[in-house]
Amino acid sequence: MATDPFRQRLPTLDKLGVTDLPNISPSEVASEWLDTFSAAISQSDAGAVVNLFLEDGFWKDVIALTWDLRTFEGRNDITKLLDARLAVTSLREIRLLEEPLREPALQKLFPDLAWIRFCFGFTTKNGKGTGVVYLVPLPDLKWKAYSLLTCLDALTDFPEKVGPLRNNRADHGTWEENRRQEIEFFNNDPTVLVIGAGHSGLETAARLKYIGVPTLIIDKKPRVGDNWRDRYKALCLHDTVWYNQTPYLNFPSTWPVYIPARKLADWLEGYAKFLELNVWTASTIKRSSWDDTTKAWTVEVNREGKEARTLTVKHLVFATGMVSRPNIPDIPGKASFKGSAVHSSQFTSAANYIGKKAVVIGTCTSGHDIAQDFFNHDFDVTMYQRSSTFVITAQTVAKILGANHQDGFPIELADTYSTSLPHVVIRRLFQRTVPAMAQTIDKNILDGLTKVGFKTNLGPYGTGLASLFYERGGGYYIDTGTCQHIINGDIKIKNGCAIEGFTENGLAFSDGTELHADIIVFATGFGDHLDAMREACGDEVASKVGAVWGMDNEGQLQGVWRHCGHD
């Protein structure tokens, strides 16, 4: 088995040399630690600051000090961060936050692991932010930081135009024409061009609009939300409604926990209108070029039914999602197959196909959803499993997300807490929780799958969903009901052998068997995330961009939400 590069011991009581947790006031401990921290920061005393951390402690920064997403591990690296960035960012006005949900609290994660979590506010020369600290006890009754987050929340020079800063002028008949002018950019070019009007594209544009940055979104599809409408009809989100909230406009409290794709599509279309975002649909980039002298892009945009436009913009944002070019295995003999064979991106509904036998190749989310759809339409359906799959029930995912993702919990604070721990720490925690939940909450489902031959795993090094998502972008299934149909035999499983080729009536396998099928669906994922960038900007630009997705050596996502390798 490969060595896990992240496998380090958590700061357990035994590792810290602590026999029993002391009886303390979390607020008093947090106040004492933060006062010492603040004094050291104000004196630019890096040595005094790092002495407040464990030797193997972490400082995670989201924009506040580094203008990037960074994680620094150990006192030496934290010292380098402070030496390089403390003076130039002018970290100051550090204050304990004690309002409900932010107040210091002792959290007992396991019998041998506990910490005090608390929040603090701070100011830099660029804006205001929130910090989150995790303190662990030492034998001398002192508490030191295992992990600290600094996250910039607002920019001083570009405050969000919300609440008291919203537009307070009465409009008497000019709004409609003003919106038309704004959308069409008749008198100026946008500063930012966002490619893709899905969840992330719209949210990015909304944040930019309300800090005063002129932004245009273009999308190749006819309507906002078509990226969801055009997928298979059975598609429904497998994570909860709270985890998918949109900024400035929350889903109604009446909405289901798991949102159907077409319902979400309509929401996104309405969101773009209600937030007054500037969107050109049925629009594609014909060509683009980068001027390294002016640091600007010239972009020619084709608009269906309208005159093409050439724009000069400072920034391109590719919000083109995880769905790129379909990844279809090269299987010999396809011309001989009498039935239909499509990728999941081309599949809409089992109702569109005549016949009573279906094969779905792939056993992650799309594979399960499509197999379920075939079963619901009375098909004889078999899933072909190429490799083991991490399976976790939706109920367990909701439990992992916990109280931070439920009605009444502020979304902004949930986001802060969710990002507060370094990925390496999350992995260490999940190496305990994932196997434990597999042996308790999800035991019946996983045992049932094993009995019918479905192969499961616990994710990389037993860390489950988070590692698979951030490192691979797939390889898992969050169960919303299909697993029971597999266990019952309603959906059959084929694995343990390779596909040798198509036959006239289906697929031949290396074990000498053949699966008959009228329709074969390849739920085999998608290709390179850079495909959309190559199409819009060409190979030369794309070649300068580094890896997109997957973790770097600090446990941060590569090329996403940060510098990607090209200005």
Side-chain angles (χ1 to χ4, degrees):
M1 183 177 181
T3 302
D4 180 0
F6 292 95
R7 190 167 185 82
Q8 301 287 339
R9 292 176 64 191
L10 288 162
T12 59
L13 298 179
D14 179 62
K15 179 183 177 184
L16 297 169
V18 175
T19 306
D20 296 300
L21 278 175
N23 185 19
I24 46 82
S25 161
S27 291
E28 290 179 5
V29 171
S31 294
E32 180 181 347
W33 187 94
L34 193 63
D35 286 346
T36 307
F37 176 79
S38 179
I41 291 291
S42 65
Q43 296 164 16
S44 297
D45 188 344
V49 173
V50 297
N51 191 49
L52 294 168
F53 285 76
L54 294 181
E55 288 283 355
D56 58 352
F58 297 87
W59 187 315
K60 182 177 180 180
D61 185 63
V62 178
I63 307 300
L65 301 184
T66 61
W67 209 245
D68 196 357
L69 311 179
R70 298 290 306 274
T71 299
F72 301 89
E73 181 177 2
R75 289 181 176 179
N76 287 341
D77 283 353
I78 294 173
T79 300
K80 292 176 184 177
L81 163 69
L82 297 172
D83 288 344
R85 303 299 301 169
L86 188 57
V88 296
T89 54
S90 185
L91 179 63
R92 62 190 186 278
E93 297 176 17
I94 295 169
R95 60 210 176 277
L96 185 67
L97 302 178
E98 296 190 89
E99 59 264 37
L101 303 179
R102 290 178 174 83
E103 74 276 15
L106 178 64
Q107 297 181 322
K108 297 180 180 179
L109 286 79
F110 305 106
D112 63 343
L113 180 64
W115 52 42
I116 291 174
R117 183 185 72 184
F118 69 91
C119 299
F120 65 91
F122 64 85
T123 302
T124 71
K125 72 172 187 177
N126 295 313
K128 295 184 180 298
T130 300
V132 182
V133 182
Y134 294 84
L135 299 180
V136 294
L138 296 179
D140 59 2
L141 301 182
K142 296 288 186 182
W143 292 70
K144 293 202 173 185
Y146 176 54
S147 185
L148 179 147
L149 168 79
T150 42
C151 178
L152 198 66
D153 299 327
L155 298 170
T156 301
D157 294 337
F158 298 88
E160 284 185 290
K161 298 173 183 177
V162 297
L165 296 181
R166 73 177 83 191
N167 181 4
N168 61 7
R169 297 186 301 275
D171 185 290
H172 297 288
T174 61
W175 173 80
E176 194 168 20
E177 176 58 22
N178 288 342
R179 275 297 295 143
R180 190 179 75 86
Q181 295 277 342
E182 184 185 10
I183 292 170
E184 292 298 325
F185 285 91
F186 286 131
N187 301 317
N188 64 296
D189 285 348
T191 302
V192 179
L193 178 63
V194 177
I195 299 99
H199 223 101
S200 296
L202 296 175
E203 291 180 355
T204 299
R207 291 293 192 190
L208 290 169
K209 178 184 178 77
Y210 292 104
I211 60 171
V213 180
T215 302
L216 171 66
I217 314 165
I218 63 170
D219 197 284
K220 63 185 177 183
K221 292 183 178 289
R223 293 171 59 191
V224 173
D226 279 350
N227 60 315
W228 289 100
R229 288 188 196 92
D230 293 347
R231 297 298 306 278
Y232 52 90
K233 288 184 178 179
L235 181 57
C236 182
L237 299 194
H238 288 230
D239 42 19
T240 65
V241 65
W242 305 284
Y243 205 68
N244 295 287
Q245 292 284 16
T246 46
Y248 307 122
L249 191 65
N250 284 349
F251 299 125
S253 59
T254 57
W255 271 42
V257 172
Y258 304 102
I259 306 172
R262 280 160 176 74
K263 188 179 184 73
L264 179 61
D266 290 346
W267 174 268
L268 295 179
E269 189 170 44
Y271 181 81
K273 291 179 180 178
F274 295 141
L275 271 291
E276 298 185 2
L277 306 181
N278 306 318
V279 185
W280 293 357
T281 54
S283 299
T284 56
I285 294 178
K286 182 178 181 180
R287 63 175 61 90
S288 67
S289 61
W290 168 254
D291 188 322
D292 205 40
T293 302
T294 62
K295 301 295 182 184
W297 296 91
T298 300
V299 184
E300 186 176 341
V301 180
N302 276 345
R303 305 178 67 190
E304 189 174 306
K306 295 186 178 182
E307 185 179 349
R309 289 280 299 277
T310 299
L311 307 170
T312 301
V313 301
K314 283 289 186 183
H315 307 283
L316 295 182
V317 176
F318 282 86
T320 45
M322 304 288 284
V323 178
S324 55
R325 171 176 36 85
N327 183 24
I328 303 176
D330 184 15
I331 299 174
K334 184 177 179 182
S336 65
F337 178 52
K338 290 183 176 180
S340 299
V342 299
H343 187 265
S344 61
S345 58
Q346 301 165 300
F347 177 87
T348 54
S349 172
N352 296 338
Y353 298 94
I354 298 172
K356 291 297 179 184
K357 285 187 180 293
V359 172
V360 179
I361 298 174
T363 53
C364 295
T365 301
S366 294
H368 279 81
D369 285 352
I370 291 168
Q372 175 77 52
D373 190 32
F374 278 124
F375 169 74
N376 291 344
H377 286 83
D378 298 321
F379 274 65
D380 179 334
V381 57
T382 300
M383 298 175 76
Y384 171 64
Q385 185 178 35
R386 299 177 296 167
S387 58
S388 63
T389 308
F390 175 70
V391 175
I392 187 171
T393 62
Q395 293 77 14
T396 301
V397 170
K399 186 177 181 67
I400 290 172
L401 294 177
N404 292 0
H405 295 91
Q406 62 183 20
D407 288 331
F409 200 97
I411 296 300
E412 293 77 8
L413 183 57
D415 285 345
T416 301
Y417 282 152
S418 292
T419 198
S420 61
L421 285 169
H423 181 65
V424 59
V425 177
I426 298 296
R427 285 188 60 141
R428 294 173 188 176
L429 293 171
F430 279 3
Q431 281 179 322
R432 285 190 169 201
T433 58
V434 168
M437 288 180 170
Q439 288 298 314
T440 53
I441 305 172
D442 288 347
K443 180 176 173 53
N444 289 340
I445 285 288
L446 295 176
D447 286 351
L449 291 172
T450 299
K451 286 178 182 177
V452 297
F454 189 96
K455 297 178 180 179
T456 64
N457 62 58
L458 294 177
Y461 311 106
T463 58
L465 184 63
S467 292
L468 284 166
F469 178 64
Y470 288 122
E471 292 170 24
R472 282 183 50 190
Y476 57 85
Y477 172 59
I478 301 174
D479 179 36
T480 54
T482 302
C483 284
Q484 193 59 53
H485 289 295
I486 296 172
I487 294 168
N488 294 345
D490 304 326
I491 297 170
K492 295 187 281 293
I493 296 297
K494 174 75 172 176
N495 57 25
C497 55
I499 298 175
E500 287 199 332
F502 284 96
T503 66
E504 190 175 283
N505 299 310
L507 291 169
F509 293 86
S510 60
D511 63 355
T513 61
E514 181 182 1
L515 272 180
H516 286 197
D518 301 291
I519 168 70
I520 298 171
V521 179
F522 289 89
T524 46
F526 296 87
D528 192 340
H529 302 317
L530 293 180
D531 285 345
M533 191 177 294
R534 288 192 186 93
E535 187 177 335
C537 300
D539 290 338
E540 183 180 350
V541 169
S543 68
K544 296 179 181 177
V545 175
V548 173
W549 212 253
M551 292 297 190
D552 65 15
N553 59 6
E554 292 183 1
Q556 299 283 7
L557 276 174
Q558 302 175 108
V560 185
W561 308 312
R562 58 197 298 207
H563 184 64
C564 66
H566 191 290
D567 287 352

